[in-house]
Amino acid sequence: MAGETIITVVGNLTADPEIRYTQNGLPVANFTIASTPRSFDRQANEWKDGDALFLRASCWREFAEHVAGSLSKGMRVVAQGRLRQRSYQDRDGNNRTAIELEVDEIGPSLRYATAQVTRAARSADAQKGPAAQPAEQQWAEPPTGEQWGAFGDDTPF
């Protein structure tokens, strides 16, 4: 969609991805990526860490299940997705704003590690395409607005 803010973040997962299911049974994986910039201080002749960015992220459907089954706390990942801004009221009635990453692609960083990739088996409905799936399983936009109400007043993560 035009006008969306697409970013790529390289960082480490602060915890194992948490998978939850909406009232319709739609899986969503939530996790936080910590990205810390480093720069070389020539006067001190050493690397210095900058302020860390902790970015909440989510992904949906079968993708969420793949992420939850493949990634774990501490893994260095490369994630690309769309920034989303969401406003809500907390339990005390204060208006809050959250900026989150809706992940389109994610995988382990191979800079300091190796990985073994296994192609996931597709379900029979997924192989037939979205039109053959029940309406609640078709590829649609993730829940927004009132649909978040299932999580209460807190952020859904």
Side-chain angles (χ1 to χ4, degrees):
M1 182 179 274
E4 291 184 313
T5 303
I6 298 175
I7 65 167
T8 301
V9 178
V10 178
N12 296 71
L13 296 183
T14 62
D16 290 343
E18 180 182 346
I19 194 157
R20 294 186 184 187
Y21 295 87
T22 64
Q23 290 176 338
N24 293 334
L26 192 68
V28 58
N30 302 302
F31 49 94
T32 300
I33 302 171
S35 179
T36 307
R38 299 191 86 203
S39 59
F40 189 74
D41 183 345
R42 292 181 188 206
Q43 291 179 350
N45 199 32
E46 64 185 10
W47 287 95
K48 302 263 182 169
D49 287 339
D51 293 332
L53 167 69
F54 292 90
L55 186 59
R56 292 295 299 164
S58 64
C59 54
W60 296 85
R61 299 171 187 76
E62 191 175 27
F63 183 27
E65 293 171 338
H66 294 171
V67 167
S70 303
L71 303 177
S72 59
K73 178 180 179 176
M75 282 186 151
R76 185 173 179 86
V77 296
V78 179
Q80 183 178 39
R82 294 162 279 142
L83 281 181
R84 297 283 189 217
Q85 180 174 310
R86 186 172 55 81
S87 297
Y88 64 97
Q89 280 190 343
D90 64 15
R91 290 181 184 171
D92 298 328
N94 299 317
N95 291 329
R96 302 280 184 178
T97 300
I99 296 178
E100 301 155 349
L101 179 65
E102 190 174 307
V103 178
D104 293 322
E105 298 286 342
I106 189 169
S109 170
L110 301 181
R111 186 171 190 166
Y112 305 113
T114 61
Q116 180 69 35
V117 177
T118 304
R119 187 176 183 110
R122 296 179 64 182
S123 68
D125 285 340
Q127 291 173 359
K128 294 176 190 172
Q133 298 176 18
E136 64 271 8
Q137 292 180 356
Q138 288 184 13
W139 294 96
E141 287 297 314
T144 57
E146 293 176 10
Q147 294 170 326
W148 283 110
F151 293 104
D153 294 331
D154 291 335
T155 59
F157 305 113

